[in-house]
Amino acid sequence: DQQVKQNSPSLSVQEGRISILNCDYTNSMFDYFLWYKKYPAEGPTFLISISSIKDKNEDGRFTVFLNKSAKHLSLHIVPSQPGDSAVYFCAALTNSGYALNFGKGTSLLVTP
Amino acid sequence: DVKVTQSSRYLVKRTGEKVFLECVQDMDHENMFWYRQDPGLGLRLIYFSYDVKMKEKGDIPEGYSVSREKKERFSLILESASTNQTSMYLCASSSFGFLGYTFGSGTRLTVV
């Protein structure tokens, strides 16, 4: 059963605008959440993470928001750039776990 | 530059063949993982290992086995390849106390 869900398979945004990628989870034991970015024919690369004790984490153009009561997190990219076009995976981990649980991914296309 | 190296970028094998996918990391990480990525299904965990000679099943271990004889090397074995094992295979490693993974570039396996 999928514990991390990304319900939007794809998203198209104009360059310069905000991209918002959403992720929901079902396991209340998850303590850490991460976003990975993947280009075709490459392995995923780490983008940003957030601990469950926080509700926001920023790194440059990327901000992750966590709403624990709703079991929801989102990744905001502002401003979006064509180079941001990739598949974005949401992932989660419990405090005692080894392996990340990944969502199915959202394919982001940023158009000029 | 630290890295996870997967021995082949592309492989074509015949149905029924025994297939070995090799992964080597140079970061002295304790944990190593094998995932497969399929369109619409995201990243699914096949097996992972948290120590030499230790292995744990992930979500989809059927048809696969693994070997970890040395800390830096984690092998995925397809005992008898089938066409439904055509996929992108991703190896990753992580260290205790560090939440994120480092991924390899992936092996695109086609079983004909």
Side-chain angles (χ1 to χ4, degrees):
Chain A
D1 190 29
Q2 195 92 20
Q3 297 185 68
V4 178
K5 301 178 183 181
Q6 294 177 257
N7 293 319
S8 298
S10 63
L11 176 67
S12 184
V13 171
Q14 272 193 315
E15 182 178 7
R17 303 229 172 196
I18 184 171
S19 295
I20 300 176
L21 294 90
N22 293 304
C23 179
D24 297 294
Y25 61 95
T26 58
N27 188 345
S28 57
M29 300 300 292
F30 285 144
D31 280 322
Y32 302 98
F33 303 88
L34 303 91
W35 285 93
Y36 280 80
K37 177 179 178 179
K38 186 182 184 298
Y39 292 117
E42 293 183 14
T45 54
F46 170 74
L47 196 56
I48 192 168
S49 66
I50 188 166
S51 163
S52 61
I53 63 173
K54 293 187 172 184
D55 55 18
K56 178 182 173 180
N57 189 26
E58 262 183 285
D59 184 1
R61 296 186 298 114
F62 302 92
T63 303
V64 56
F65 295 92
L66 176 63
N67 182 334
K68 280 195 71 177
S69 61
K71 293 191 177 70
H72 176 83
L73 64 154
S74 61
L75 174 68
H76 292 211
I77 306 173
V78 184
S80 302
Q81 299 173 353
D84 295 330
S85 298
V87 178
Y88 289 79
F89 290 99
C90 174
L93 184 69
T94 64
N95 194 39
S96 58
Y98 293 98
L100 286 171
N101 289 270
F102 284 89
K104 293 183 179 181
T106 296
S107 178
L108 173 66
L109 177 65
V110 180
T111 57
Chain B
D1 192 20
V2 293
K3 59 173 64 173
V4 175
T5 303
Q6 294 184 232
S7 53
S8 304
R9 292 299 300 270
Y10 301 95
L11 273 180
V12 180
K13 296 292 181 181
R14 294 193 180 280
T15 302
E17 275 193 79
K18 190 169 186 175
V19 181
F20 293 85
L21 301 183
E22 305 287 345
C23 176
V24 176
Q25 52 99 359
D26 63 2
M27 294 167 284
D28 202 35
H29 281 171
E30 292 83 4
N31 307 318
M32 296 188 75
F33 310 84
W34 277 105
Y35 286 84
R36 62 180 281 180
Q37 182 196 2
D38 300 287
L41 297 176
L43 294 170
R44 294 182 293 167
L45 180 65
I46 305 171
Y47 267 96
F48 70 97
S49 168
Y50 54 88
D51 201 352
V52 175
K53 296 192 186 294
M54 305 303 290
K55 59 185 178 184
E56 293 285 342
K57 292 180 180 179
D59 300 318
I60 51 164
E62 296 79 18
Y64 303 95
S65 62
V66 290
S67 172
R68 192 164 182 205
E69 296 296 318
K70 294 185 178 181
K71 191 176 184 180
E72 66 270 19
R73 186 179 296 269
F74 193 35
S75 302
L76 180 69
I77 303 153
L78 286 67
E79 298 292 342
S80 177
S82 64
T83 54
N84 63 12
Q85 292 178 310
T86 291
S87 186
M88 168 71 87
Y89 289 87
L90 292 159
C91 176
S93 70
S94 75
S95 180
F96 290 132
F98 178 67
L99 302 171
Y101 292 6
T102 301
F103 279 92
S105 298
T107 296
R108 170 69 66 184
L109 173 67
T110 302
V111 182
V112 298

